[in-house]
Amino acid sequence: MTLTLTVSDEVRTLAPGFTHVAIEAHGLVNGPSTEGTSALLDDAARRLAARLDGRAPHEDPHMVAWRALYTAFGAKPSRTRNSAEALARRALSDGGLPRINVLVDVYNAISVAHLIPVGGEDLDLVQGAMRLVRATGDEEFMTVAGGEETVEHPDAGEVVWRDEAGVTCRRWNWRQGPRTRLTEESTSVVFLLEGLAPMPVADLERAGVELAELLEKFSPGARIAVHAPA
């Protein structure tokens, strides 16, 4: 499919300093985690530790901005952390980062190394356009609880990513639903890198370029387009 992605005026008003970089990739090859992606994750954790220089992830200015934004739309940022902060905490823990599959490992490494939220959606499973909106509360979010698929509804006013079928990610970038997540069969993907002031847009762009280069490394010949910041 051709990527169509928009951010609503309501979200722009809530977060005027928000910028995202979208990377659209087709012809990717996914599979179980490899020694190469495991090494990439270990290196990302080392880069994160150097970036933080003894601070906790939530003390980084970019994470401070995300916490303030979560509070602004009614979320509790210490209980439902943005994806970058949650992943960074795991990277610095004794257990380290999880190994999921090649594509998820690659974008998780970029998220941790640059301390920015990064997500990936299977374009073959996305239905229609993707939109970042403030929820009405009636939208459906398919998730898994106790090993069983179940439907939840976001809170009214919550910021969510959604497509025509429902919510794909709750609380901006807190929890992705299983419907569009990347599996070992995923070949067409949109990756989203999300930033807030005070992070310079140029830093977000550099992270996007690094992600695109890694995708080419692990999927030689894939068709990869890095969209301009929006």
Side-chain angles (χ1 to χ4, degrees):
M1 67 171 286
T2 299
L3 174 67
T4 302
L5 187 153
T6 58
V7 178
S8 73
D9 290 342
E10 282 188 320
V11 172
R12 292 290 188 195
T13 298
L14 177 70
F18 172 66
T19 305
H20 68 273
V21 170
I23 298 175
E24 188 175 0
H26 301 274
L28 296 170
V29 177
N30 203 5
S33 300
T34 66
E35 289 185 6
T37 62
S38 185
L40 195 65
L41 289 167
D42 288 340
D43 181 63
R46 288 190 289 269
R47 290 169 66 182
L48 172 68
R51 172 186 292 268
L52 291 173
D53 192 24
R55 295 174 298 169
H58 71 267
E59 296 175 304
D60 179 85
H62 192 211
M63 296 300 95
V64 170
W66 276 106
R67 281 187 164 226
L69 184 53
Y70 267 49
T71 299
F73 66 79
K76 291 179 168 45
S78 293
R79 191 171 69 185
T80 57
R81 295 180 174 88
N82 76 79
S83 64
E85 183 183 326
L87 206 58
R89 285 167 58 90
R90 293 193 69 173
L92 298 175
S93 71
D94 291 339
L97 289 164
R99 275 58 172 165
I100 308 297
N101 58 52
V102 168
L103 294 180
V104 174
D105 289 355
V106 167
Y107 81 69
N108 278 350
I110 293 297
S111 176
V112 168
H114 293 269
L115 200 53
I116 56 177
V118 183
E121 303 282 354
D122 189 323
L123 284 171
D124 290 327
L125 301 176
V126 171
Q127 299 185 36
M130 289 184 61
R131 292 173 284 148
L132 186 65
V133 301
R134 300 200 72 170
T136 64
D138 297 326
E139 300 89 347
E140 292 191 350
F141 176 70
M142 182 67 68
T143 188
V144 176
E148 299 289 332
E149 284 194 350
T150 184
V151 174
E152 296 178 353
H153 299 277
D155 299 326
E158 180 183 326
V159 177
V160 298
W161 280 104
R162 64 159 302 164
D163 63 5
E164 296 306 318
V167 174
T168 57
C169 195
R170 284 199 60 189
R171 294 185 186 135
W172 208 308
N173 48 40
W174 165 63
R175 176 178 292 169
Q176 183 186 33
R179 177 169 60 87
T180 56
R181 70 185 174 193
L182 305 190
T183 69
E184 293 182 14
E185 287 71 48
S186 299
T187 60
S188 293
V189 178
V190 57
F191 299 91
L192 290 172
L193 298 83
E194 300 181 305
L196 292 173
M199 169 170 274
V201 174
D203 288 0
L204 197 66
E205 290 181 290
R206 277 192 286 271
V209 168
E210 185 178 345
L211 176 53
E213 290 173 347
L214 287 172
L215 294 173
E216 174 61 30
K217 174 182 176 180
F218 286 96
S219 293
R223 303 184 306 281
I224 301 168
V226 180
H227 294 259

